């Protein structure tokens, strides 16, 4: 039994560079394997969702900018087969506008109170600001507004959101967030999460998406103060169950941002692109500066204004699917103003207002004002026109919402089956 | 057979005679194992035989019972166990008899053989009388018999695990051993043998160390032995203390003051081998406390299995001066001698560990020593001061250290250029390296390196690379950490302006005439690698230029011909460094699209060079070249297909290299890289690769650590080739199933648990790859028959409760993949499994990000599968 060697490394690094190279190789291989698996798992499903989210490319043919180049239609058809959000973030021009405009979930305006508000819905105060999609991929982050124009191009702490480290970051990783950019504190308030780190959340319920949003966003460091690699702060918004206390908190609670109404999300609804009645927006003067629509100069026009789309047969319709007919435009106006099918046109609602029969719009007193701003991608939705109309005439008040929750509570208390205990 | 003569011949100086003798021994062993062992043990026991042949007989016996290679060892054990019982008991009787032989060679070899037999038989509950008869020997009169018996007990404790021997016998062994150690034992050899035996027996003494009286007794005897007049006994006794410090740390409180007195006397006055052990005692206490405190830091609860007694913190005021004293006892040329280990080195190392243990508290105790000695005329004082400063840089808080460093830096830079003593310069360069290693890249108000001093630092380091080889090596080391300090910063590094100059200087170092005799060349290439790894976008064009330079160097190594074996070894080593450097460059340039594109112009040439490096050897492949090819495959992607026809044979060769299992493991990893790069283009090579991988799995000669990566590699291939994997499905699944069965019901030490987890991970990655590979193919139904077993496997590992986060993540991912690929075919199976409920829920609420993510994936996939 010889003496035991007790030599320790002296003036030496504890690990050899060869061992380091081996380990770095293993690390890279493990990362690549993860990427390959993740790609197999996720990309397919998110591409599927994106495709199915954009099946109705037909109505969009009305977009003149596209129609003028007939081949591009086919191209974009083929293109959409391999469409991947990361490629989408590289799209240019009208393609972008078209693509992104279709990807956001657009809440309808609340024109009546849904049932089971307290059980099935969330509520939160909507930040005032620019609604946008934030896509992080390949070491950079891009935010695009509803019309597809780029708001910011910046590094962020979102997964794949900045170029850091030695490229070991996953190439397939990307995120898509549904955000509102709040100018005052230069913060992106995340109101929904569509994809996170390569995982598609399109097929997930709002309940799950909000849970995921709250846990992931914080973990990623995206909520940290801005720094060199993280130019803008992200923040989640407080979301409440829409019972009376939740509704009250969302309505009156102090938040770090200026409120622009309340958003209601159905807990069981998947992320559905385009207009959906499973997300609703409601506002009054207490929780929004912008209850009544303003014109281009920021002033409230004396008459309500609406934007409608001109169809083939001179029909004026909303952006809903199916579109709601508001009336027909005189042939001579079309000729005089050089209007085309698909143009978005601005109208005022005259003293005749809107008249309804059996809960359906029967007649609208429309006064033609001119073409709408080119930056607009869509006509107004039916619910928006109606909400604005109600605001000017007989608004839906917060008390109505609270009352509806309370009366539902009363109903809950009505006798149900009694369990026998003998 | 006349064994004595053959054994004589086996030691002949005549090669032919020796070879013949060895051959006939081998034949004897193969044809008649019991006869062979019996005659060897007879030879060993026969007092009339010469001691040389008895000793050799003993050694051959020992080698017939044990081997280094696991599979060979297993074979030998099985052979012994299946031997005829009569033969075995005859052999064992011979052995016990020989233990009392007065011939030293005979009894000392025998004690080792007995321990080997015990190592095989005791775990099988055989040879129950062994320990009893050994213990009765202890009371024999001849001291040599007593000594041999105590040695046997020591070896035996080394050989068998504590749970094999019952406490009653443990008590008796310890009593005999400790009695043999005590001062009343008059014979020095007996006392030494007992002390060394205790070293091995300490692991058996758990119960005895919990008993105050017994522990006091053992500790008293050990401490007394450290005062023995015989230096070997003192050394062995300190070795026992070192072992006790880690095994029974929590029992040391009552003795620590005495131990401090003993060790500090030994450090100051005793002979070096003893003093080194005495210092090691404190280093070992530091190791323990660092581990405990690290665990404290990791857990917020603060309840660790072992409480920290802060022995180091308490001993600090006396311990640090003692260690500082040792620093002044340097040897003249210790920096030139790779194998040197002396009291100054041990003391300095211990000081560094103390700093890590106590942090800030050490600073005021060391700084006065540094200040007092750093400018003294005696180089020993300047070196000791510098070493002391360097060794406390890891541990105390940066806030505490940075002001000191800012003061010291200018002085150190000037010492590195101007000090007349090479030893001082060596240590100064090392200490600068420590500053960069521990104090760069921190978010502090006062950074150590500024635009102002960066130029000077770089200039001094590059200048020192022209100094003696040992100083130059440390300067390279300092530069390594300087570069590392700016890794991943992204912002223009302050080193960027010097990049060209640094690279040029490092290349110059690699061409120094005296570079071959030291680690210098390796250090220069390692530093070059780190400089490349940490380089920024601005210097990418310069890294690209480096490709051609390193390629030329590699090309030059291939030109020399007719090399001696020593030259060949040097060539291979240099090729390793150059391939390593190319690997780092490829990985760097391959990580961004623009640089990758520019790099691709060299891909053909580089691959050509790698193939030539492979061709330099006949039977093995070069590990570094293989690693570099993995990086190249990743960078080139599908284009790598064009290299496959030529490369394939080396790939196969690498997979067949069982001896150098690292090479095999690296090659398996490269197969994964190539699969991902080539995707379905790998199909033509799959037959060969899969056959070899399956062969490797069934071999018991391949190091087990390679098997998990082989399974992962199945997954890589399946994912790459999709339903084409059908061809191998049956074989792969059956290999996976049997490995899966093996990896569930296990119990064992941490190492086994860790291995099992890596095995599970490999198996699970294979399943993931196979499921994802078959997804959306018309052949998914082929996988349905395997689903029940896989779900059972998942349930099984969940029940075992010993998986780590990695396995958890992969396992729950497999559940998702299974659901995703099989859809409603598997929905009822999935719903019945525990994994889809408890396991999934547990993963969903996991703290680990990756686990949670995989679980979300699984949840999603399952809900889809069920809803369809």
């Amino acid at each position: 039994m010889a003496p035991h060697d007790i030599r320790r490394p002296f003036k030496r690094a504890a690990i050899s560079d060869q061992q380091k190279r081996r380990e770095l190789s293993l690390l890279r291989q493990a990362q690549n394997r993860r990427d390959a698996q993740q790609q197999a798992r996720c990309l397919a499903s998110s591409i599927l969702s994106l495709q199915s989210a954009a099946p109705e490319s037909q109505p969009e043919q009305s977009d003149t900018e596209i129609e003028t180049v007939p081949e591009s239609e086919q191209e974009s058809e083929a293109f959409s087969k391999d469409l991947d959000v990361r490629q989408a973030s590289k799209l240019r021009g009208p393609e972008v506008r078209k693509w992104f405009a279709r990807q956001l979930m657009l809440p309808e305006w609340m024109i009546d109170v849904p049932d089971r508000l307290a059980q099935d819905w969330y509520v939160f105060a909507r930040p005032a600001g620019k609604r946008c999609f934030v896509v992080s991929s390949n070491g950079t982050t891009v935010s695009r507004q509803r019309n597809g124009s780029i708001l910011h191009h910046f590094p962020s702490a979102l997964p794949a959101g900045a170029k850091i480290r030695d490229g070991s970051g996953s190439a397939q990783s990307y995120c898509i967030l549904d955000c509102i950019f709040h100018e005052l504190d230069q913060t992106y308030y995340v109101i929904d999460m569509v994809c996170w780190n390569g995982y598609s959340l399109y097929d997930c319920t709002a309940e799950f998406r909000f849970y995921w949003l709250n846990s992931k966003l914080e973990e990623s460091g995206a909520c940290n103060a801005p720094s060199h690699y993280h130019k803008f702060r992200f923040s989640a918004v407080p979301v409440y169950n829409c019972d009376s206390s939740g509704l009250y908190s969302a309505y009156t609670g102090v938040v770090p941002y200026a409120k622009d109404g309340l958003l209601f999300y159905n807990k069981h609804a998947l992320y559905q692109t385009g207009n959906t009645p499973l997300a609703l927006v409601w506002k009054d003067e207490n929780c929004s500066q912008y209850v009544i629509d303003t014109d281009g100069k920021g002033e409230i026009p004396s008459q309500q204004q609406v934007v409608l789309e001109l169809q083939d047969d001179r029909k004026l319709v909303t952006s809903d699917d199916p579109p709601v007919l508001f009336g027909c435009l005189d042939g001579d106006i079309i000729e005089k103003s050089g209007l085309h099918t698909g143009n978005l046109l601005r109208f005022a609602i005259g003293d005749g207002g809107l008249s309804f029969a059996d809960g359906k719009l029967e007649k609208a007193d429309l006064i033609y004002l001119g073409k709408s701003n080119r930056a607009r991608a869509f006509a107004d939705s039916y619910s928006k026109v109606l909400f604005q109309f109600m605001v000017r005439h007989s608004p839906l008040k917060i008390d109505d919402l609270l009352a509806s929750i309370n009366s539902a509570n009363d109903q809950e208390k009505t006798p149900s089956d009694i369990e026998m205990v003998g | 057979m006349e064994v004595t003569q053959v054994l004589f011949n086996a030691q002949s100086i005549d090669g032919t005679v020796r070879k013949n003798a060895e051959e006939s021994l081998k034949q004897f062993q193969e044809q008649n194992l019991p006869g062979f062992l019996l005659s060897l043990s007879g030879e060993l026991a026969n007092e009339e035989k010469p001691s040389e042949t008895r000793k050799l007989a003993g050694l051959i016996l020992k080698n017939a019972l044990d081997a280094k290679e696991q599979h060979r060892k297993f074979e030998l054990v099985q052979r012994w166990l299946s031997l005829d019982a009569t033969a075995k008991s005859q052999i064992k009787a011979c052995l016990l008899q020989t233990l009392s032989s007065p011939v030293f060679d005979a009894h000392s070899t025998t004690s080792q053989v007995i321990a080997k037999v015990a190592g095989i038989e005791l775990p099988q509950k055989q040879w129950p009388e062994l320990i009893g008869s050994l213990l009765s020997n202890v009371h024999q009169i001849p001291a040599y018999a007593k000594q041999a018996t105590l040695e046997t007990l020591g070896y035996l404790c080394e050989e068998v695990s504590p749970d094999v021997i019952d406490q009653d016998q443990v008590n008796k062994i310890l009593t005999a051993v400790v009695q043999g150690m005590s001062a009343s034992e008059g014979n020095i050899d007996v006392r030494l043998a007992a002390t060394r035996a205790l070293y091995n027996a300490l692991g058996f003494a758990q119960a005895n160390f919990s008993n105050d009286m017994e522990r006091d007794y053992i500790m008293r005897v050990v401490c007394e032995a450290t005062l023995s007049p015989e230096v070997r006994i003192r050394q062995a006794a300190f070795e026992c203390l070192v072992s006790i410090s880690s095994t029974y740390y929590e029992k040391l409180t009552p003795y620590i003051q005495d131990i401090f007195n003993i060790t500090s006397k030994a450090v100051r006055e005793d002979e070096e081998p003893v003093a080194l052990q005495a210092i090691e005692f404190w280093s070992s206490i530091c190791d323990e406390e660092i581990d405990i405190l690290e665990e404290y830091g990791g857990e917020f609860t603060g309840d660790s299995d072992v409480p920290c007694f802060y022995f180091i913190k308490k001993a600090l005021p006396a311990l640090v001066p003692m260690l500082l004293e040792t620093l002044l006892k340097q040897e003249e040329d210790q920096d030139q001698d790779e194998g040197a280990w002396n009291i100054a080195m041990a003391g300095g190392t211990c000081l560094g560990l103390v700093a890590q243990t106590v942090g800030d508290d050490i600073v005021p105790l060391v700084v006065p020593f540094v200040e007092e000695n750093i400018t003294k005329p005696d180089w020993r004082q300047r070196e000791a001061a510098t070493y002391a400063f360097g060794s406390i840089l890891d541990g105390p808080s940066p806030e505490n250290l940075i002001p000191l460093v800012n003061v010291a830096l200018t002085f150190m830079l000037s010492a590195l250029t101007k000090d007349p003593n090479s030893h001082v310069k060596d240590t100064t360069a090392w200490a600068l390296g420590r500053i960069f290693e521990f104090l760069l890249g921190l978010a502090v108000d006062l950074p150590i390196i500024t635009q102002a001093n960066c130029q000077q630092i770089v200039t001094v380091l590059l200048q020192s690379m022209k100094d003696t080889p040992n100083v130059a090596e440390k300067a390279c080391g300092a530069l390594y950490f300087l570069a590392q300090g700016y890794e991943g910063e992204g912002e223009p590094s302050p080193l960027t302006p010097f990049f060209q100059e640094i690279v040029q200087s490092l290349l110059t170092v690699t061409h120094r005439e005296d570079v071959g005799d030291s680690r210098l060349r390796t250090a220069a290439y390692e530093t070059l690698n780190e400089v490349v790894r940490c380089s920024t976008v601005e210097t990418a064009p310069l890294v690209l230029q480096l490709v051609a330079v390193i390629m030329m160097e590699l090309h030059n190594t291939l030109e020399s011909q007719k090399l001696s074996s020593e030259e060949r070894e040097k060539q291979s080593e240099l090729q390793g460094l150059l391939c390593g450097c190319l690997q780092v460059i490829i990985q760097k340039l391959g990580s961004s699209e623009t640089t990758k594109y520019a790099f691709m112009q060299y891909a053909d040439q580089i691959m050509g060079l790698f193939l030539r490096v492979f061709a330099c050897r006949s039977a093995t492949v070069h590990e570094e070249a293989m690693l570099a090819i993995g990086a190249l495959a990743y960078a080139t992607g599908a284009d790598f297909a064009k290299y496959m026809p030529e490369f394939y044979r080396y790939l196969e060769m690498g997979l067949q290299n069982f001896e150098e299992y690292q090479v095999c493991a690296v090659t398996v990893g490269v197969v994964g890289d190539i699969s991902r790069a080539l995707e379905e283009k790998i199909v033509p090579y799959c037959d060969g690769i899969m056959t070899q991988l399956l062969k490797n799995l069934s071999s018991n000669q391949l190091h087990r650590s390679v098997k998990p990566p082989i399974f992962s590699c199945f997954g890589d291939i399946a994912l790459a080739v999709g339903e084409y994997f059908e061809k191998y499905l049956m074989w792969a699944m059956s290999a996976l199933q049997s490995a899966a069965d093996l990896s569930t019901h296990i119990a064992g030490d941490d190492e086994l648990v860790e291995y099992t987890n890596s095995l599970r991970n490999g198996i699970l990655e294979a399943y993931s790859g196979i499921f994802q590979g078959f997804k959306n193919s018309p052949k998914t139904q082929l996988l349905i028959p395997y689903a029940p077993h896989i779900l059972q496997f998942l349930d099984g590992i969940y029940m075992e409760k010993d998986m780590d986060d990695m396995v958890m993540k992969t396992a729950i991912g497999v559940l998702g993949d299974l659901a995703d690929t099989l859809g409603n075919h598997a929905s009822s199976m999935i719903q019945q499994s525990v994994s889809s409920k408890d396991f999934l829920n547990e993963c969903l609420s996991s703290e680990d990000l990756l686990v949670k993510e995989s679980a979300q994936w699984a949840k999603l996939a399952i809900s889809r599968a069920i809803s369809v």
Side-chain angles (χ1 to χ4, degrees), chain A residues 60 62-69 72-73 76 79 88 90-102 144-149 374-377:
Chain A
E60 294 295 328
S62 53
D63 195 328
T64 48
E65 281 137 319
I66 298 243
E67 248 187 352
T68 48
V69 193
S72 84
E73 192 60 41
S76 77
F79 186 32
K90 290 175 200 144
L91 294 177
R92 295 284 172 270
E95 292 278 357
V96 179
R97 212 171 86 186
K98 205 172 128 189
W99 194 84
F100 273 90
R102 266 199 232 120
R144 288 184 185 273
Q145 301 185 59
R146 258 186 76 177
N147 60 16
S149 66
R374 269 184 71 90
R376 293 250 342 205

Side-chain angles (χ1 to χ4, degrees), chain B residues 476-493:
Chain B
C476 288
L479 192 57
Y480 183 104
F481 289 115
L482 182 61
Q484 193 177 68
Y486 294 99
E487 185 176 13
E489 292 272 297
E491 289 182 55
S493 152

Side-chain angles (χ1 to χ4, degrees), chain A residues 310-328:
Chain A
L310 179 64
Q311 284 200 326
D312 266 349
D313 39 11
R314 300 189 291 120
K315 281 182 181 155
L316 295 167
V317 295
T318 62
S319 63
D320 301 273
D321 181 24
V324 177
L325 181 67
F326 263 64
C328 287

